[in-house]
Amino acid sequence: MRSLFSPIPLFFVFLWSTGFIVARYGLPYAPPLTFLLLRFLGVLAILGPAVVLLRAPWPKGKVGHVAIAGLLLQAGYLSGVWCAIKLGMPAGLSALIVGMQPILTALAAPLIGERVRPRQWIGLAFGLGGVALVVYAKILVGLSWQAIALAVFALLSITAGTLYQKHFCPQFDLRTGTVIQFAASMAVVLPLAWALEDMGSVQWTPQFLGAWAWSVLALSIGAIFLLFKLIRRSDATQVTSLLYLTPPTTALMAWAMFGEVLNWMGIAGMALAVIGVLFVVKQSKQLKP
């Protein structure tokens, strides 16, 4: 248990959770797709020269697969979350909905040759019930169905991207793979931002620059690289477990920074959702050879 609560994994949870907070903090100063476009450009500006200088290897015969996985994991997932938050979805709720990824992955397990045990279905029911409670509580106070649909789209996108990458390109150099994924994402987000948003409306305030810098350095580079470092240290199971601390951590941050408060129904729903996800994860661990 010591490794589970050591400083590095917990710092990773903190970084991952700030992704939802940064969206809420930075979006008053830029449209969501435009902000993401600038984020992708920042990552490429840093990693592109680094890849050339370090002569990092490119994934032979897998560039297309890496790019498709990147479109789902970066463009689809991030666009869904950021647009949902722009439409008024609380950061804590967006983290909770996307945090259902392992449950949805369990549901799709047969597609990648894995079995789902009856007790995992119980966890699935707990998780979905919890999310339903929280979403219902927010609908009562005026949350739009468009915001919910975008968050669900983000959930489906990151789940599909995870399954796709696991099946078609599970191994590639992180540096060049990240460049490919963000370049592909930028190619998709750019025309959408041009068509749907006023890209010239960015307010280059200190708040915006801080949110942008954090999203580039701490999230798109720092959190992802830290995740792979932990996995290489054989801490994959611990990291997987820690990821499920993201919704309550984000909810706590959102309460401290923005005053987001869950009523009793929302708190009960979040508790059910976390229990459900942990239940699925526990069963998944027991099924590993």
Side-chain angles (χ1 to χ4, degrees), residues 28-219:
Y29 309 100
L33 297 180
T34 301
F35 195 115
L36 289 177
L37 179 63
L38 294 172
R39 174 174 172 173
F40 298 159
L41 285 171
V43 173
L44 293 175
I46 295 173
L47 289 185
V51 163
V52 174
L53 292 174
L54 297 174
R55 298 181 180 178
W58 294 87
K60 296 181 180 179
K62 296 182 179 180
V63 172
H65 288 310
V66 173
I68 292 173
L71 290 176
L72 293 166
L73 293 170
Q74 303 296 342
Y77 163 65
L78 291 175
S79 296
V81 169
W82 283 60
C83 290
I85 292 177
K86 183 66 174 181
L87 291 179
M89 174 167 286
L93 177 55
S94 62
L96 178 61
I97 292 177
V98 176
M100 293 298 101
Q101 180 200 350
I103 290 181
L104 198 60
T105 301
L107 183 65
L111 298 177
I112 54 176
E114 298 179 359
R115 292 183 298 166
V116 179
R117 298 298 177 93
R119 293 182 65 181
Q120 287 181 288
W121 290 112
I122 297 174
L124 175 63
F126 268 104
L128 294 180
V131 171
L133 270 180
V134 179
V135 171
Y136 180 69
K138 291 299 179 181
I139 289 176
L140 291 178
V141 295
L143 183 64
S144 69
W145 68 266
Q146 292 94 336
I148 296 172
L150 284 165
V152 172
F153 169 76
L155 167 62
L156 295 174
S157 185
I158 192 174
T159 303
T162 300
L163 293 171
Y164 188 94
Q165 184 164 303
K166 180 177 181 180
H167 183 72
F168 291 104
C169 49
Q171 304 265 345
F172 55 83
D173 186 272
L174 179 59
R175 298 161 296 182
T176 53
T178 302
V179 168
I180 293 170
Q181 292 194 341
F182 277 94
S185 297
M186 186 178 68
V188 169
V189 171
L190 175 58
L192 290 175
W194 181 271
L196 301 175
E197 299 177 347
D198 179 7
M199 298 178 64
S201 64
V202 177
Q203 302 175 42
W204 298 90
T205 63
Q207 293 87 344
F208 168 78
L209 291 174
W212 173 79
W214 185 267
S215 68
V216 171
L217 299 173
L219 295 172

